[in-house]
């Protein structure tokens, strides 16, 4: 009954009977029970609502969307974004902070995440006690318990310093890799909606991949599926730097070596002022130096896509994240450079429409999935 309510705008006992096969008496009893628990709300009947029908008007119900809130968090390397939604994932408030994370210890990281969450709740007019489910994306592999393995320089532990424990005041908590949550978003409302086999390539400062095979998000023993460090050893790639970082590095080298066309868009910039966004914007505007760099990045992307295609056999690879808005030239070049000698059909390469909020969008979707699965258990425990 509750699952039906989550997917329906409003409904009557007859609607539930048709959708679930329940008898009328069972459907009415379940609706009344869920209304008493606060998970459903009874709406004005059809006659009071102005939709006149002969005979006794049917009782109408809907999910009580304000009964609790969901939290989606993108706890990135230098920023933290928290979004509060109602049970239907309608946004109520967001808050974003920036940090020099590498200079902070685990306690600072936990305080930063909790502070951002609490401020988002304050802006939404809610409190921790109203939270039913929270999902957090971090730039680190995460295992099924919400913990990250050790990293040679401690980076993963800094990004995920036992956040599952720090957020244990919420009934339902999911800590996950940020690229995995980006994949959740793409499958739910993005470029992979309706696709059961795809890879989301989160192209931030470094590359990360969320892998979905046969409709299931893959994790691995330590949460390492989709970690891209292996590309440090792949000829033609050489590192796991993000697409924008590659473009900026090569543009700065060209400036330093005096290889840019005099009077061009890039030639007039100091090396320190060049970032991936500016290089890709210049390429889109037709600057030949920037276009050459975009083609070079595209060739690397093609190699990455071909390796992912051989490993996971996806139908689609989605370039996702904030950089996606400016990578049309890179993706066009990558499509032309995709190898044809890998036996399997090359995956379709597409650009995400979700922009910089893809991780927090996936986190909200993951929180909603958890809530939809376990809300009844949480409410039963509260009322026991």
């Amino acid at each position: 009954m509750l699952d039906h309510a989550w997917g329906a705008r409003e409904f009557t006992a007859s609607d539930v009977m048709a959708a679930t096969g329940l008898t009328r008496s069972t459907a009415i009893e379940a609706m009344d029970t869920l209304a008493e628990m606060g998970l459903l709300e009874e709406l004005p009947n059809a006659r009071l609502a102005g939709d006149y029908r002969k005979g006794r008007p049917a009782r109408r119900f809907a999910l009580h969307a304000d009964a609790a809130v969901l939290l989606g968090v993108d706890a990135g390397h230098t920023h933290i974004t928290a979004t509060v939604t109602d049970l239907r994932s309608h946004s109520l408030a967001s808050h974003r902070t920036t940090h020099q994370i590498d200079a902070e210890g685990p306690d600072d990281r936990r305080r930063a995440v909790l502070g951002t969450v609490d401020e988002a709740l304050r802006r939404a007019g809610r409190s921790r006690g109203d939270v039913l489910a929270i999902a957090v994306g971090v730039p680190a592999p995460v295992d099924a318990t919400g913990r990250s393995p050790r990293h040679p320089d401690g980076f993963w532990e800094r990004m995920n310093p036992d956040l599952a424990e720090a957020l244990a005041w919420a009934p339902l908590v999911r800590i996950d890799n940020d690229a995995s949550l980006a994949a959740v978003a793409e499958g739910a409302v993005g470029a992979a909606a309706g696709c059961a086999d795809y890879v989301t390539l989160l192209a931030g400062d470094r590359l990360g991949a969320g892998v979905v095979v046969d409709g299931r998000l893959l994790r691995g023993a330590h949460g390492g599926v989709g970690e891209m460090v292996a590309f440090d050893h792949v000829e033609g790639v050489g590192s796991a730097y993000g697409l924008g970082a590659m473009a900026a590095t090569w543009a700065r080298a060209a400036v330093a070596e005096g290889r840019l066309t005099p009077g061009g868009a890039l030639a007039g910039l100091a090396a320190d002022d060049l970032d991936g966004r500016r290089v890709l914007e210049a390429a889109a505007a037709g600057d030949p130096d920037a276009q050459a760099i975009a083609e070079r990045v595209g060739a690397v992307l093609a190699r990455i896509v071909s390796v992912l295609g051989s490993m996971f056999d996806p139908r689609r690879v989605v370039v996702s994240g904030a950089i996606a808005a400016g990578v049309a030239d890179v993706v066009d070049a990558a499509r032309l450079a995709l190898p044809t000698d890998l036996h399997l059909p090359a995956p379709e390469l597409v650009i995400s429409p979700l922009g910089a909020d893809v991780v927090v969008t996936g986190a909200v979707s993951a929180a909603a999935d958890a809530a939809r699965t376990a809300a009844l258990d949480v409410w039963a425990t509260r009322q026991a």
Side-chain angles (χ1 to χ4, degrees):
M1 167 67 76
L2 185 58
D3 186 66
H4 175 76
W6 225 292
R9 182 176 179 183
E10 61 181 59
F11 55 91
T12 65
S14 296
D15 297 327
V16 172
M17 292 165 60
T20 67
L22 295 174
T23 65
R24 180 172 295 277
S25 61
T26 301
I28 292 173
E29 181 181 1
M31 289 191 295
D32 285 338
T33 299
L34 290 173
E36 291 173 4
M37 296 174 73
L39 286 167
L40 295 186
E41 56 180 343
E42 187 166 3
L43 306 175
N45 65 46
R47 184 173 290 125
L48 292 176
D51 183 14
Y52 179 77
R53 298 175 184 171
K54 291 183 178 180
R56 183 177 179 181
R59 297 171 67 197
R60 300 160 55 245
F61 290 81
L63 179 73
H64 187 194
D66 292 328
V69 297
L70 311 174
L71 263 164
V73 182
D74 176 8
H77 182 197
T78 59
H79 70 274
I80 302 170
T81 302
T83 294
V84 183
T85 77
D86 65 16
L87 291 182
R88 291 198 183 277
S89 301
H90 296 148
S91 180
L92 302 177
S94 291
H95 183 56
R96 179 183 173 92
T97 57
T98 58
H99 299 272
Q100 294 296 323
I101 298 298
D102 285 340
E104 298 177 343
D107 291 341
D108 298 313
R109 171 72 161 170
R110 284 191 290 267
R111 279 194 293 269
V113 171
L114 290 171
T116 306
V117 164
D118 287 337
E119 177 59 21
L121 286 169
R122 188 194 68 77
R123 294 185 179 195
R126 309 301 287 262
S127 67
R128 291 186 182 184
D130 297 317
V131 176
L132 174 57
I134 181 169
V136 183
V138 296
V142 181
D143 67 18
T145 70
R147 290 176 171 79
S148 297
R150 292 184 178 276
H151 186 270
D153 67 7
F155 178 75
W156 292 340
E157 300 97 302
R158 292 198 301 275
M159 295 299 97
N160 180 23
D162 292 326
L163 291 178
E165 180 180 347
L167 295 165
W169 45 263
L172 305 170
V173 180
R174 173 174 171 177
I175 312 298
D176 215 331
N177 173 258
D178 52 4
S180 293
L181 291 184
V184 171
E186 298 296 349
V189 295
C195 184
D197 300 281
Y198 63 94
V199 173
T200 295
L201 191 63
L202 189 61
D205 294 334
R206 290 182 65 83
L207 295 173
V211 181
V212 175
V213 175
D214 297 334
R216 298 182 61 182
L217 181 68
L218 303 186
R219 183 186 300 278
H222 308 97
V225 172
E227 279 299 310
M228 308 292 276
V229 68
F231 282 100
D232 291 350
H233 309 286
V234 174
E235 183 178 354
V237 180
S239 76
Y241 287 121
L243 303 182
M246 291 180 199
T249 297
W250 291 333
R252 290 169 191 153
V255 169
E257 297 166 10
R259 292 188 284 104
L260 297 178
T261 304
L266 300 185
L269 296 173
D272 291 343
D273 293 332
L274 283 170
D275 57 23
R277 178 183 59 81
R278 288 186 176 180
V279 175
L280 296 177
E281 285 177 351
D287 179 74
D289 294 319
Q291 287 179 331
I293 292 171
E295 290 177 6
R296 185 179 175 187
V297 176
V300 174
L301 176 59
R303 182 62 60 91
I304 292 168
V305 170
S306 67
V307 172
L308 293 173
S310 294
M311 292 173 62
F312 299 112
D313 190 21
R315 292 188 181 277
R316 193 171 300 165
V317 173
V318 183
V319 179
S320 190
I323 196 68
V327 296
D329 291 319
V330 171
V331 170
D332 286 343
R335 288 175 180 141
L336 293 174
L338 282 173
T340 58
D341 59 351
L342 296 177
H343 305 297
L344 289 171
E348 178 187 16
L349 182 58
V350 300
I351 300 172
S352 169
L354 299 180
D357 290 332
V358 63
V359 175
V360 78
T361 298
V364 168
S365 183
D369 288 344
R372 190 164 178 165
T373 300
L376 200 56
D377 292 334
V378 172
W379 250 257
T381 299
R382 286 175 174 175
Q383 297 184 0

